[in-house]
Amino acid sequence: MAVNGLEEAGDPAALKRHRTLFRAVKRRRNPPLRRTDITVTDEAAVKRAVKAAALGNAMEWFDFGIYSYLAVTIGHVFFPSGNDTAQLISSFATFAVSFLVRPLGGMFFGPMGDKIGRKKVLALTMILMAIGTFAIGLIPSYATIGFWAPALLILFRLIQGFSTGGEYGGASTFIAEYAPDKRRGFFGSFLEFGTLAGYIGAAGLVTILTALLGDGGMESWGWRVPFLVAGPLGLVGLYLRLRLDETPAFQKLEDESTHSASEAAHVETTAKGDLAKIFRDHWPTLVLCVCLVGAYNVTNYTLLSYMPTYLTDELDYDESHGLLLLIGTMAVLLLVINQVGRLSDRIGRKPLLMAGMLGFLVLSAPAFLLLHQGSVLAVSGGMLLLGFSLVCLLGTMSAALPALFPTDVRYGSLSVGYNLSASLFGGTTPLVVTALISVTGTDMMPAYYAMAAALVGVASVAAMKETARRPLAGSPPAVATDEEAAALVESKAPVPRF
């Protein structure tokens, strides 16, 4: 008490004589970390959150996969006949148009998720996505209603794009804020597990329908089935999401008691969800996010969306055979993606992200040269070269991106950055590559485009900070057990020496 009284009285002579003592007392009164600052996660709750977020992501990519794999058929159904290339470009242009509104969706849903919570916004995006996808399956063909067919297709694609603007940022934030710090990579990898599962489901369904109905049956009515299936899937995803609690990090942010806690658990709430704040205060990180996501999306869409069309249109591969090979490649990636996430928890995000970017930079050209050989073995080898590079990104990115931004603006910042980049470089990839091949006459353009994107990715990964096994910015530490929490408190409270 005497020491406290001297400190409070501000006695400079006493402070000078007993610096070590006063530092020790200050540490005792304001410890670097308290037990109440630490979030001990509930593993059952984490698994429910991961399941709900991953299913929503699977539905999103099921939809985008359907459109990509049916691009040729959709071109025939919704656009005037005459030139097959023009129909394909029109189809991919409609695919790309939904990406034009994704940044608007991100700007709308992202800050909303920072204001009212992650759970409510993710439920809303799920409803809109299901409506948009289901409605596409009901549109009459161009032969039936003429101009209104592509007009309605674009309208519902815009609804899908707008809702998707709040999906990835929210889902990755949701998982990241639920997961313990030391396992964020592992749990985050399930989000992209959902991506691959959605693509596999779409490719598998299209392949089965094509085999059963043939090209004529698919163009007549078979193409509608995958879109109509997305409606019930959306209701299942909505049910799972509505059963979840809000994330612990967001609850801490809302809880006024945490605002007076120690510096380790302090979180800002001023101007929460303010879009202007995101651009004003976080623009350097926003630029880094755009570059990372741009490189990631170009390589992602090149393999998972564009590849079947490339094999069919440029290399004269049978459509069903190309889809089967892609399904095989994605199945292999599905087996290893969670181990990649687990590895990122051990060695860090940056080494794996750099490995993926360098893989695309070095291996894209050899991979496409293998594709040109035409044999099943060569095509499979080329796709696996791209696939193993991609899985380094897929298994790591969903844990790395949310960690770039603090809790109070995480959903909004990630939604804005991710969707700006996806709009510019993601959904446009099939359209740009198809147009470049048409203009240049070389079918190696996908490789060159992926290499250019990977070069940007290498520079971006080099500039980012390592975030593995560390608390999210603006959030208290999150651990899996009480014992781990106690050990963490003890490690942050060094014994004073006099």
Side-chain angles (χ1 to χ4, degrees):
M1 292 299 294
V3 171
N4 288 349
L6 286 171
E7 185 182 15
E8 290 168 3
D11 186 337
L15 290 170
K16 187 174 182 180
R17 287 195 306 270
H18 304 289
R19 293 183 188 277
T20 304
L21 177 60
F22 280 108
R23 281 198 299 267
V25 171
K26 188 175 181 180
R27 282 197 301 267
R28 181 65 178 266
R29 294 172 64 190
N30 299 288
L33 191 67
R34 303 171 194 257
R35 172 61 187 82
T36 54
D37 298 336
I38 301 173
T39 299
V40 179
T41 61
D42 177 357
E43 186 165 355
V46 174
K47 289 180 178 178
R48 286 197 302 271
V50 168
K51 184 189 300 181
L55 180 62
N57 210 45
M59 178 190 164
E60 177 187 344
W61 298 113
F62 178 82
D63 158 50
F64 280 98
I66 287 168
Y67 197 99
S68 300
Y69 305 144
L70 289 173
V72 176
T73 302
I74 288 172
H76 293 161
V77 171
F78 286 101
F79 298 97
S81 59
N83 187 314
D84 287 343
T85 301
Q87 282 186 330
L88 183 60
I89 290 178
S90 297
S91 180
F92 278 137
T94 307
F95 176 81
V97 77
S98 69
F99 285 79
L100 297 179
V101 296
R102 279 183 67 163
L104 299 179
M107 293 177 189
F108 178 79
F109 290 115
M112 185 188 295
D114 288 324
K115 286 181 180 178
I116 68 173
R118 286 59 164 128
K119 169 187 169 180
K120 295 175 183 176
V121 176
L122 282 173
L124 180 57
T125 60
M126 177 69 78
I127 293 170
L128 287 176
M129 174 62 77
I131 290 172
T133 307
F134 187 79
I136 288 177
L138 301 176
I139 303 173
S141 67
Y142 183 87
T144 304
I145 61 172
F147 161 80
W148 290 107
L152 287 171
L153 178 63
I154 291 171
L155 172 64
F156 293 126
R157 289 292 294 169
L158 290 174
I159 292 174
Q160 289 177 324
F162 190 74
S163 66
T164 304
E167 175 63 35
Y168 182 88
S172 57
T173 293
F174 205 78
I175 292 178
E177 291 182 351
Y178 254 108
D181 296 333
K182 292 183 179 181
R183 302 187 70 194
R184 189 172 297 118
F186 172 68
F187 285 117
S189 67
F190 280 94
L191 191 64
E192 300 297 356
F193 184 97
T195 298
L196 290 172
Y199 271 127
I200 289 175
L205 185 53
V206 170
T207 301
I208 292 170
L209 288 171
T210 302
L212 293 174
L213 304 176
D215 293 338
M218 287 298 289
E219 285 191 22
S220 175
W221 63 273
W223 67 271
R224 299 181 185 277
V225 174
F227 289 100
L228 297 177
V229 165
L233 283 179
L235 293 177
V236 173
L238 178 64
Y239 171 74
L240 289 174
R241 286 186 173 182
L242 288 175
R243 292 181 63 223
L244 295 172
D245 294 324
E246 192 50 80
T247 69
F250 187 80
Q251 289 180 11
K252 288 268 188 180
L253 188 67
E254 292 290 277
D255 185 357
E256 291 296 328
S257 66
T258 61
H259 299 167
S260 59
S262 67
E263 184 178 353
H266 177 68
V267 288
E268 280 191 355
T269 57
T270 307
K272 190 173 47 173
D274 183 5
L275 201 57
K277 178 183 177 182
I278 292 173
F279 285 100
R280 182 181 66 247
D281 298 343
H282 301 281
W283 68 266
T285 312
L286 205 60
V287 171
L288 176 62
C289 178
V290 168
C291 292
L292 280 170
V293 174
Y296 160 60
N297 269 338
V298 167
T299 53
N300 182 27
Y301 282 97
T302 297
L303 178 60
L304 301 187
S305 290
Y306 177 67
M307 189 57 71
T309 302
Y310 179 79
L311 292 174
T312 301
D313 277 28
E314 305 302 330
L315 303 182
D316 298 322
Y317 225 76
D318 181 85
E319 188 172 352
S320 295
H321 290 169
L323 277 174
L324 285 171
L325 290 175
L326 181 60
I327 290 171
T329 302
M330 290 189 292
V332 172
L333 303 188
L334 205 64
L335 294 174
V336 301
I337 189 169
N338 296 133
Q339 299 311 312
V340 172
R342 196 191 301 272
L343 184 61
S344 80
D345 285 327
R346 293 178 56 192
I347 68 173
R349 320 288 187 228
K350 291 185 67 171
L352 284 166
L353 290 175
M354 187 63 78
M357 297 298 183
L358 289 174
F360 274 105
L361 184 63
V362 174
L363 299 176
S364 289
F368 274 86
L369 289 174
L370 275 174
L371 295 179
H372 290 167
Q373 299 302 310
S375 69
V376 171
L377 188 61
V379 172
S380 299
M383 293 173 74
L384 283 174
L385 282 180
L386 298 174
F388 285 127
S389 300
L390 179 61
V391 80
C392 292
L393 308 181
L394 287 173
T396 311
M397 198 67 79
S398 52
L401 292 176
L404 295 176
F405 301 102
T407 302
D408 61 323
V409 294
R410 180 171 297 122
Y411 196 153
S413 300
L414 183 52
S415 293
V416 170
Y418 187 92
N419 290 292
L420 276 174
S421 189
S423 177
L424 293 171
F425 308 110
T428 59
T429 295
L431 174 64
V432 169
V433 170
T434 302
L436 286 174
I437 291 173
S438 179
V439 170
T440 63
T442 172
D443 50 18
M444 285 294 289
M445 287 309 300
Y448 302 148
Y449 196 53
M451 290 166 68
L455 196 58
V456 174
V458 168
S460 302
V461 173
M464 70 179 286
K465 295 179 181 178
E466 182 57 72
T467 57
R469 303 174 68 85
R470 300 174 187 175
L472 292 168
S475 292
V479 299
T481 63
D482 288 319
E483 291 76 16
E484 191 179 347
L488 183 59
V489 170
E490 186 176 353
S491 71
K492 296 293 184 181
V495 178
R497 298 178 181 178
F498 300 101

PDB file of all heavy atoms in Angstrom, residues 401-421:
ATOM      1  N   LEU A 401      -6.638 -14.662 -44.686  1.00  0.00           N
ATOM      2  CA  LEU A 401      -7.311 -13.406 -45.039  1.00  0.00           C
ATOM      3  C   LEU A 401      -8.039 -12.749 -43.862  1.00  0.00           C
ATOM      4  O   LEU A 401      -7.892 -11.535 -43.657  1.00  0.00           O
ATOM      5  CB  LEU A 401      -8.275 -13.641 -46.208  1.00  0.00           C
ATOM      6  CG  LEU A 401      -7.623 -13.974 -47.556  1.00  0.00           C
ATOM      7  CD1 LEU A 401      -8.690 -14.276 -48.603  1.00  0.00           C
ATOM      8  CD2 LEU A 401      -6.727 -12.826 -48.029  1.00  0.00           C
ATOM      9  N   PRO A 402      -8.846 -13.479 -43.055  1.00  0.00           N
ATOM     10  CA  PRO A 402      -9.523 -12.800 -41.934  1.00  0.00           C
ATOM     11  C   PRO A 402      -8.545 -12.200 -40.923  1.00  0.00           C
ATOM     12  O   PRO A 402      -8.878 -11.219 -40.248  1.00  0.00           O
ATOM     13  CB  PRO A 402     -10.348 -13.914 -41.289  1.00  0.00           C
ATOM     14  CG  PRO A 402     -10.521 -14.944 -42.351  1.00  0.00           C
ATOM     15  CD  PRO A 402      -9.253 -14.887 -43.152  1.00  0.00           C
ATOM     16  N   ALA A 403      -7.346 -12.783 -40.819  1.00  0.00           N
ATOM     17  CA  ALA A 403      -6.367 -12.303 -39.847  1.00  0.00           C
ATOM     18  C   ALA A 403      -5.715 -10.985 -40.269  1.00  0.00           C
ATOM     19  O   ALA A 403      -4.988 -10.376 -39.480  1.00  0.00           O
ATOM     20  CB  ALA A 403      -5.287 -13.370 -39.631  1.00  0.00           C
ATOM     21  N   LEU A 404      -5.986 -10.534 -41.485  1.00  0.00           N
ATOM     22  CA  LEU A 404      -5.403  -9.272 -41.942  1.00  0.00           C
ATOM     23  C   LEU A 404      -6.049  -8.073 -41.265  1.00  0.00           C
ATOM     24  O   LEU A 404      -5.421  -7.015 -41.146  1.00  0.00           O
ATOM     25  CB  LEU A 404      -5.564  -9.131 -43.468  1.00  0.00           C
ATOM     26  CG  LEU A 404      -4.830 -10.130 -44.356  1.00  0.00           C
ATOM     27  CD1 LEU A 404      -5.201  -9.884 -45.826  1.00  0.00           C
ATOM     28  CD2 LEU A 404      -3.313 -10.004 -44.178  1.00  0.00           C
ATOM     29  N   PHE A 405      -7.320  -8.208 -40.826  1.00  0.00           N
ATOM     30  CA  PHE A 405      -8.092  -7.049 -40.371  1.00  0.00           C
ATOM     31  C   PHE A 405      -8.538  -7.219 -38.921  1.00  0.00           C
ATOM     32  O   PHE A 405      -8.766  -8.339 -38.457  1.00  0.00           O
ATOM     33  CB  PHE A 405      -9.331  -6.871 -41.260  1.00  0.00           C
ATOM     34  CG  PHE A 405      -9.015  -6.666 -42.711  1.00  0.00           C
ATOM     35  CD1 PHE A 405      -9.142  -7.709 -43.617  1.00  0.00           C
ATOM     36  CD2 PHE A 405      -8.579  -5.438 -43.174  1.00  0.00           C
ATOM     37  CE1 PHE A 405      -8.846  -7.532 -44.960  1.00  0.00           C
ATOM     38  CE2 PHE A 405      -8.287  -5.239 -44.508  1.00  0.00           C
ATOM     39  CZ  PHE A 405      -8.418  -6.290 -45.402  1.00  0.00           C
ATOM     40  N   PRO A 406      -8.699  -6.095 -38.183  1.00  0.00           N
ATOM     41  CA  PRO A 406      -9.178  -6.174 -36.796  1.00  0.00           C
ATOM     42  C   PRO A 406     -10.661  -6.533 -36.727  1.00  0.00           C
ATOM     43  O   PRO A 406     -11.406  -6.372 -37.701  1.00  0.00           O
ATOM     44  CB  PRO A 406      -8.923  -4.758 -36.255  1.00  0.00           C
ATOM     45  CG  PRO A 406      -8.879  -3.878 -37.450  1.00  0.00           C
ATOM     46  CD  PRO A 406      -8.319  -4.725 -38.563  1.00  0.00           C
ATOM     47  N   THR A 407     -11.092  -6.978 -35.554  1.00  0.00           N
ATOM     48  CA  THR A 407     -12.436  -7.529 -35.378  1.00  0.00           C
ATOM     49  C   THR A 407     -13.541  -6.556 -35.761  1.00  0.00           C
ATOM     50  O   THR A 407     -14.528  -6.945 -36.382  1.00  0.00           O
ATOM     51  CB  THR A 407     -12.627  -7.975 -33.917  1.00  0.00           C
ATOM     52  OG1 THR A 407     -11.615  -8.931 -33.600  1.00  0.00           O
ATOM     53  CG2 THR A 407     -13.994  -8.607 -33.702  1.00  0.00           C
ATOM     54  N   ASP A 408     -13.379  -5.266 -35.390  1.00  0.00           N
ATOM     55  CA  ASP A 408     -14.486  -4.329 -35.568  1.00  0.00           C
ATOM     56  C   ASP A 408     -14.781  -4.013 -37.022  1.00  0.00           C
ATOM     57  O   ASP A 408     -15.865  -3.531 -37.345  1.00  0.00           O
ATOM     58  CB  ASP A 408     -14.234  -3.034 -34.788  1.00  0.00           C
ATOM     59  CG  ASP A 408     -12.987  -2.306 -35.239  1.00  0.00           C
ATOM     60  OD1 ASP A 408     -11.996  -2.985 -35.577  1.00  0.00           O
ATOM     61  OD2 ASP A 408     -12.992  -1.061 -35.264  1.00  0.00           O
ATOM     62  N   VAL A 409     -13.823  -4.296 -37.920  1.00  0.00           N
ATOM     63  CA  VAL A 409     -14.063  -4.056 -39.356  1.00  0.00           C
ATOM     64  C   VAL A 409     -13.725  -5.285 -40.198  1.00  0.00           C
ATOM     65  O   VAL A 409     -13.586  -5.186 -41.411  1.00  0.00           O
ATOM     66  CB  VAL A 409     -13.256  -2.837 -39.873  1.00  0.00           C
ATOM     67  CG1 VAL A 409     -13.733  -1.550 -39.231  1.00  0.00           C
ATOM     68  CG2 VAL A 409     -11.758  -3.032 -39.652  1.00  0.00           C
ATOM     69  N   ARG A 410     -13.583  -6.447 -39.554  1.00  0.00           N
ATOM     70  CA  ARG A 410     -13.101  -7.631 -40.272  1.00  0.00           C
ATOM     71  C   ARG A 410     -14.056  -8.070 -41.384  1.00  0.00           C
ATOM     72  O   ARG A 410     -13.639  -8.270 -42.527  1.00  0.00           O
ATOM     73  CB  ARG A 410     -12.876  -8.788 -39.288  1.00  0.00           C
ATOM     74  CG  ARG A 410     -12.364 -10.068 -39.972  1.00  0.00           C
ATOM     75  CD  ARG A 410     -11.943 -11.107 -38.951  1.00  0.00           C
ATOM     76  NE  ARG A 410     -10.839 -10.604 -38.158  1.00  0.00           N
ATOM     77  CZ  ARG A 410     -10.864 -10.480 -36.828  1.00  0.00           C
ATOM     78  NH1 ARG A 410     -11.953 -10.844 -36.157  1.00  0.00           N
ATOM     79  NH2 ARG A 410      -9.828 -10.008 -36.188  1.00  0.00           N
ATOM     80  N   TYR A 411     -15.324  -8.235 -41.053  1.00  0.00           N
ATOM     81  CA  TYR A 411     -16.307  -8.700 -42.036  1.00  0.00           C
ATOM     82  C   TYR A 411     -16.381  -7.702 -43.200  1.00  0.00           C
ATOM     83  O   TYR A 411     -16.319  -8.078 -44.374  1.00  0.00           O
ATOM     84  CB  TYR A 411     -17.670  -8.834 -41.353  1.00  0.00           C
ATOM     85  CG  TYR A 411     -18.710  -9.640 -42.092  1.00  0.00           C
ATOM     86  CD1 TYR A 411     -19.720 -10.296 -41.389  1.00  0.00           C
ATOM     87  CD2 TYR A 411     -18.716  -9.751 -43.476  1.00  0.00           C
ATOM     88  CE1 TYR A 411     -20.705 -11.035 -42.038  1.00  0.00           C
ATOM     89  CE2 TYR A 411     -19.694 -10.491 -44.131  1.00  0.00           C
ATOM     90  CZ  TYR A 411     -20.682 -11.121 -43.417  1.00  0.00           C
ATOM     91  OH  TYR A 411     -21.652 -11.849 -44.084  1.00  0.00           O
ATOM     92  N   GLY A 412     -16.505  -6.414 -42.868  1.00  0.00           N
ATOM     93  CA  GLY A 412     -16.629  -5.400 -43.914  1.00  0.00           C
ATOM     94  C   GLY A 412     -15.381  -5.293 -44.770  1.00  0.00           C
ATOM     95  O   GLY A 412     -15.451  -5.270 -46.001  1.00  0.00           O
ATOM     96  N   SER A 413     -14.208  -5.229 -44.147  1.00  0.00           N
ATOM     97  CA  SER A 413     -12.958  -5.069 -44.895  1.00  0.00           C
ATOM     98  C   SER A 413     -12.689  -6.262 -45.800  1.00  0.00           C
ATOM     99  O   SER A 413     -12.316  -6.102 -46.964  1.00  0.00           O
ATOM    100  CB  SER A 413     -11.787  -4.883 -43.924  1.00  0.00           C
ATOM    101  OG  SER A 413     -11.959  -3.751 -43.122  1.00  0.00           O
ATOM    102  N   LEU A 414     -12.879  -7.454 -45.260  1.00  0.00           N
ATOM    103  CA  LEU A 414     -12.622  -8.650 -46.056  1.00  0.00           C
ATOM    104  C   LEU A 414     -13.630  -8.779 -47.190  1.00  0.00           C
ATOM    105  O   LEU A 414     -13.269  -9.150 -48.314  1.00  0.00           O
ATOM    106  CB  LEU A 414     -12.657  -9.894 -45.157  1.00  0.00           C
ATOM    107  CG  LEU A 414     -12.342 -11.234 -45.825  1.00  0.00           C
ATOM    108  CD1 LEU A 414     -11.045 -11.175 -46.601  1.00  0.00           C
ATOM    109  CD2 LEU A 414     -12.275 -12.339 -44.780  1.00  0.00           C
ATOM    110  N   SER A 415     -14.894  -8.454 -46.922  1.00  0.00           N
ATOM    111  CA  SER A 415     -15.915  -8.525 -47.975  1.00  0.00           C
ATOM    112  C   SER A 415     -15.612  -7.532 -49.096  1.00  0.00           C
ATOM    113  O   SER A 415     -15.727  -7.853 -50.281  1.00  0.00           O
ATOM    114  CB  SER A 415     -17.301  -8.247 -47.390  1.00  0.00           C
ATOM    115  OG  SER A 415     -17.686  -9.272 -46.509  1.00  0.00           O
ATOM    116  N   VAL A 416     -15.215  -6.316 -48.726  1.00  0.00           N
ATOM    117  CA  VAL A 416     -14.891  -5.308 -49.744  1.00  0.00           C
ATOM    118  C   VAL A 416     -13.659  -5.727 -50.533  1.00  0.00           C
ATOM    119  O   VAL A 416     -13.663  -5.738 -51.774  1.00  0.00           O
ATOM    120  CB  VAL A 416     -14.675  -3.937 -49.079  1.00  0.00           C
ATOM    121  CG1 VAL A 416     -14.090  -2.939 -50.082  1.00  0.00           C
ATOM    122  CG2 VAL A 416     -15.982  -3.393 -48.524  1.00  0.00           C
ATOM    123  N   GLY A 417     -12.573  -6.064 -49.837  1.00  0.00           N
ATOM    124  CA  GLY A 417     -11.333  -6.420 -50.522  1.00  0.00           C
ATOM    125  C   GLY A 417     -11.466  -7.661 -51.379  1.00  0.00           C
ATOM    126  O   GLY A 417     -11.032  -7.690 -52.532  1.00  0.00           O
ATOM    127  N   TYR A 418     -12.094  -8.699 -50.808  1.00  0.00           N
ATOM    128  CA  TYR A 418     -12.239  -9.960 -51.537  1.00  0.00           C
ATOM    129  C   TYR A 418     -13.071  -9.769 -52.800  1.00  0.00           C
ATOM    130  O   TYR A 418     -12.708 -10.249 -53.884  1.00  0.00           O
ATOM    131  CB  TYR A 418     -12.888 -11.009 -50.628  1.00  0.00           C
ATOM    132  CG  TYR A 418     -12.928 -12.393 -51.240  1.00  0.00           C
ATOM    133  CD1 TYR A 418     -11.892 -13.291 -51.007  1.00  0.00           C
ATOM    134  CD2 TYR A 418     -13.980 -12.795 -52.053  1.00  0.00           C
ATOM    135  CE1 TYR A 418     -11.918 -14.565 -51.575  1.00  0.00           C
ATOM    136  CE2 TYR A 418     -14.009 -14.054 -52.621  1.00  0.00           C
ATOM    137  CZ  TYR A 418     -12.977 -14.930 -52.380  1.00  0.00           C
ATOM    138  OH  TYR A 418     -12.997 -16.179 -52.958  1.00  0.00           O
ATOM    139  N   ASN A 419     -14.171  -9.048 -52.679  1.00  0.00           N
ATOM    140  CA  ASN A 419     -15.088  -8.944 -53.816  1.00  0.00           C
ATOM    141  C   ASN A 419     -14.648  -7.932 -54.862  1.00  0.00           C
ATOM    142  O   ASN A 419     -14.962  -8.099 -56.040  1.00  0.00           O
ATOM    143  CB  ASN A 419     -16.495  -8.648 -53.305  1.00  0.00           C
ATOM    144  CG  ASN A 419     -17.099  -9.841 -52.595  1.00  0.00           C
ATOM    145  OD1 ASN A 419     -17.389 -10.859 -53.200  1.00  0.00           O
ATOM    146  ND2 ASN A 419     -17.253  -9.734 -51.283  1.00  0.00           N
ATOM    147  N   LEU A 420     -13.930  -6.896 -54.462  1.00  0.00           N
ATOM    148  CA  LEU A 420     -13.316  -6.020 -55.465  1.00  0.00           C
ATOM    149  C   LEU A 420     -12.373  -6.833 -56.343  1.00  0.00           C
ATOM    150  O   LEU A 420     -12.374  -6.719 -57.571  1.00  0.00           O
ATOM    151  CB  LEU A 420     -12.555  -4.884 -54.780  1.00  0.00           C
ATOM    152  CG  LEU A 420     -13.350  -3.657 -54.346  1.00  0.00           C
ATOM    153  CD1 LEU A 420     -12.453  -2.707 -53.546  1.00  0.00           C
ATOM    154  CD2 LEU A 420     -13.937  -2.932 -55.556  1.00  0.00           C
ATOM    155  N   SER A 421     -11.561  -7.662 -55.693  1.00  0.00           N
ATOM    156  CA  SER A 421     -10.595  -8.476 -56.429  1.00  0.00           C
ATOM    157  C   SER A 421     -11.284  -9.552 -57.255  1.00  0.00           C
ATOM    158  O   SER A 421     -10.926  -9.791 -58.416  1.00  0.00           O
ATOM    159  CB  SER A 421      -9.614  -9.118 -55.446  1.00  0.00           C
ATOM    160  OG  SER A 421      -8.560  -9.742 -56.129  1.00  0.00           O
TER     161      SER A 421
END
